[in-house]
Amino acid sequence: MIDLRSDTVTTPSDAMRAAAADADVGDDVYGEDPTVNELQSRAADLLGKEAALYVPSGTMGNQIAVRTHTERGQEVLLEEACHTYKWELGGIAQHSQVQARTLDGGERGVIAPEQVRNGYVQADDHRPGTGLLVLENTHNAKGGTAIAPEHIDAAAEAAHERGVPVHLDGARLFNAAAALDVPAARIAREADSVMSCLSKGLGAPIGSMLAGSSDFIERARRVRKLMGGGMRQAGIVAAPGLLALENRDRLQEDHRRARELAAGLDDVEGMTVPQPETNIVLVETDEPAREVLDRLGERDVMGSAFGEHTIRLCTHWDIDDEDIETTVERARGV
Ligand SMILES: *Cc1c(COP(=O)(O)O)cnc(C)c1O
């Protein structure tokens, strides 16, 4: 089976399994797991923030960030196809009791500073006030676009001018960093908090990191407990996470394979495939995406339906060059 549905489907390497078995552990709810503490300090360094918190999933990291930054009844500005708004079960309304105000980030999911200024709402007797701006990089739904730090800076500055904090959903921030050849910390520089997943292209079985100021992380830690995300001997899963953080350079290979996959599939009749910026390939299909996926599935190739006529394919570390060739061949058969 060639599974291109997501970069979350990777299974842990032998080294990761060995690291899990050998991990020094303690009770992380008491802050006593040395492996978790090491992971949090390494992640804080790489993300350029004072502190970081290990959380079970990217979704929980984003939800904790929204809850920590905002007060009940405020508005949150987000890109209309972003994960925090669209793919987290409306969690910001459920957990934080905030209202979403969406902005159209266009083809690449970039929010312009004017959009932040226009979307901002000043609190008064009738209006709730804007409590947070959420940005996403790479932008998943727009095909893994790697947004340059200058765009992130500009949107963040527009929010900060109005006293609005900024959260960056960097589930695939290290993909953006690899594609743009800049440190992840540079991209996240103007964000007050940033979430990044260990369990996607970096290959860890579980976990994401939420980073920010020491004060923010102290408060986020209480929200994590509230949401049931306080884990005990979590060093067992944090140890593979430490190895995952060293897989950052390997993401370039996923990006190269994604470009090759896109070029190959673009030559297949009935498919239009723009060149990807990172590891996410969006395939426009003449026929309904579901039907094309069914027929690919019969040939042991899996992808995700992303729209009526859009399929998403993700490269990751369980996909090699041969898998790319085989996928293109089988797509021709379809
Ligand atoms: C995958 C993803 C998340 C959520 O991560 P999970 O660990 O699956 O909960 C958040 N944001 C973006 C952009 C993602 O792609």
Side-chain angles (χ1 to χ4, degrees), residues 272-304:
T272 309
V273 192
Q275 271 290 297
E277 298 180 29
T278 57
N279 70 326
I280 296 176
V281 177
L282 294 184
V283 182
E284 299 301 327
T285 55
D286 289 353
E287 288 175 59
R290 296 231 171 250
E291 285 175 28
V292 178
L293 278 171
D294 284 348
R295 276 178 269 146
L296 279 170
E298 286 161 15
R299 291 163 174 81
D300 288 340
V301 174
M302 293 166 87
S304 305

Side-chain angles (χ1 to χ4, degrees), residues 9-315:
V9 300
T10 55
T11 52
S13 63
D14 290 344
M16 284 183 179
R17 288 173 188 273
D22 293 342
D24 283 334
V25 296
D27 190 328
D28 182 51
V29 172
Y30 294 123
E32 291 171 3
D33 189 299
T35 309
V36 171
N37 290 339
E38 189 186 339
L39 175 63
Q40 290 178 162
S41 108
R42 179 85 182 113
D45 273 356
L46 287 173
L47 296 168
K49 303 294 175 204
E50 280 174 6
L53 186 69
Y54 185 47
V55 292
S57 69
T59 299
M60 193 188 282
N62 285 337
Q63 293 298 324
I64 291 173
V66 174
R67 176 69 192 250
T68 307
H69 282 299
T70 60
E71 279 168 36
R72 176 181 168 199
Q74 285 185 319
E75 277 191 4
V76 175
L77 288 168
L78 332 85
E79 205 286 324
E80 63 189 27
C82 82
H83 198 282
T84 307
Y85 174 60
K86 209 174 166 187
W87 305 104
E88 298 184 11
L89 293 158
I92 66 167
Q94 302 210 44
H95 300 303
S96 301
Q97 301 184 34
V98 290
Q99 153 164 300
R101 177 175 293 269
T102 58
L103 306 171
D104 178 0
E107 244 172 56
R108 296 185 67 247
V110 179
I111 300 289
E114 308 82 72
Q115 290 179 291
V116 176
R117 291 187 195 108
N118 293 337
Y120 171 78
V121 165
Q122 169 95 50
D124 64 18
D125 285 353
H126 294 95
R127 308 201 69 187
T130 303
L132 181 65
L133 167 68
V134 175
L135 301 172
E136 183 172 308
N137 198 8
T138 65
H139 198 300
N140 183 350
K142 305 289 181 174
T145 46
I147 300 167
E150 293 73 24
H151 290 306
I152 303 292
D153 295 354
E157 275 158 27
H160 288 157
E161 278 163 20
R162 284 151 185 76
V164 174
V166 178
H167 172 65
L168 177 60
D169 176 352
R172 296 187 182 80
L173 185 68
F174 291 107
N175 292 84
L180 297 167
D181 197 24
V182 292
R186 168 64 191 92
I187 305 176
R189 193 180 72 191
E190 301 302 323
D192 300 278
S193 60
V194 52
M195 185 285 288
S196 198
C197 293
L198 305 171
S199 56
K200 293 190 169 162
L202 298 176
I206 293 170
S208 294
M209 305 309 301
L210 177 63
S213 68
S214 303
D215 170 65
F216 172 84
I217 292 299
E218 205 177 297
R219 289 182 291 125
R221 196 177 167 83
R222 285 170 56 84
V223 177
R224 183 184 68 174
K225 190 76 177 89
L226 175 68
M227 292 189 178
M231 299 187 286
R232 302 296 178 176
Q233 284 73 36
I236 295 288
V237 280
L242 272 164
L243 294 183
L245 283 177
E246 301 315 312
N247 283 339
R248 305 188 312 281
D249 289 341
R250 204 206 49 79
L251 296 170
Q252 301 278 15
E253 276 180 56
D254 291 347
H255 298 176
R256 173 182 59 76
R257 292 195 179 103
R259 289 193 295 270
E260 290 170 10
L261 179 62
L265 292 177
D266 194 46
D267 284 341
V268 175
E269 210 188 307
M271 291 184 175
T272 309
V273 192
Q275 271 290 297
E277 298 180 29
T278 57
N279 70 326
I280 296 176
V281 177
L282 294 184
V283 182
E284 299 301 327
T285 55
D286 289 353
E287 288 175 59
R290 296 231 171 250
E291 285 175 28
V292 178
L293 278 171
D294 284 348
R295 276 178 269 146
L296 279 170
E298 286 161 15
R299 291 163 174 81
D300 288 340
V301 174
M302 293 166 87
S304 305
F306 234 51
E308 286 296 309
H309 290 270
T310 310
I311 291 171
R312 189 190 77 166
L313 304 175
C314 264
T315 54

